[in-house]
Amino acid sequence: MRVEILGCSGGIGGTSRRTTSLLLDDDILIDAGTGVTDLPLPALKTVDHVFITHSHLDHITCLPFIVDSVGEMRNTPLTMHATKETLEVIHRHIFNDDIWPDFTVIPSPENPYLCFNTLEVGRSVVIKHRSITALPANHTVPAVGYQIDNLDTGATMVFSGDTTTCPPLWDIINNIPDLRYLLVENTYPNSQREMAIHTKHFYSSLLLAEMKRLRVNPEILITNAKPVWFNQIEKELVQGAGARKLRMLLAETILDL
């Protein structure tokens, strides 16, 4: 399985700062942030599934544009996977014919450009050789992370999505025998502790404390850092990580599972 990091920043500004979106092979997106804008039209057309972690704008920005851009080029609807709460928010506030057309009934209810699939935490969706499982997260809105398994190789990666402390997430991670990559958010440095607490994001010393729960040893890739704090976050985490393999994730990175 090929995982291309289209975007992993907590903000925008220049080609290296695009908000969250991961492309699995050529047909699955995890989130649909501004990183999706780099995909040419033929690549957008081949995306059949979008798994959304939560309803915040930096993770769904490009979803309406994908549907609008390639809907009439496709023979089947694009499927958006998310929890019931997230689907309801996106349908009510985005695909509502006020902000954007309701493509769940366009061009017709029988043949729409977009359809929804409801996820539950702990339940897997298998698409060809890939299994995608919603994991618990703790954010200001209902949110999940994702466990992504290559069923051919047995290799696994976990993407936390946006979260703060979440003991059930670490319990699940510790029971994954072949966890190759852990993509975990750290949005703020220690100087912004109060902001991180208010917005339910990790800050450096909190994430380092949480990492002590880890009994496995994946490569840890840090996502969602606010651009203005990127260098400070990197310094704090690298200094505190000890022997753990940790680095800041960058757009255009390719991960192999």
Side-chain angles (χ1 to χ4, degrees), residues 157-178:
M157 64 176 275
V158 165
F159 171 52
S160 73
D162 284 8
T163 190
T164 184
T165 355
C166 186
L169 175 62
W170 298 107
D171 291 343
I172 292 169
I173 289 170
N174 283 327
N175 283 288
I176 300 174
D178 191 10

Side-chain angles (χ1 to χ4, degrees), residues 7 38 58 68 71 75 79 129 138 143 155 165 189 191-192 207 209 213 218 224:
D38 286 341
D58 54 329
D68 197 23
N75 297 320
T79 301
H129 60 287
N138 178 16
T165 355
S191 63
Q192 302 300 306
L207 178 59
R213 297 176 182 266
N224 210 58

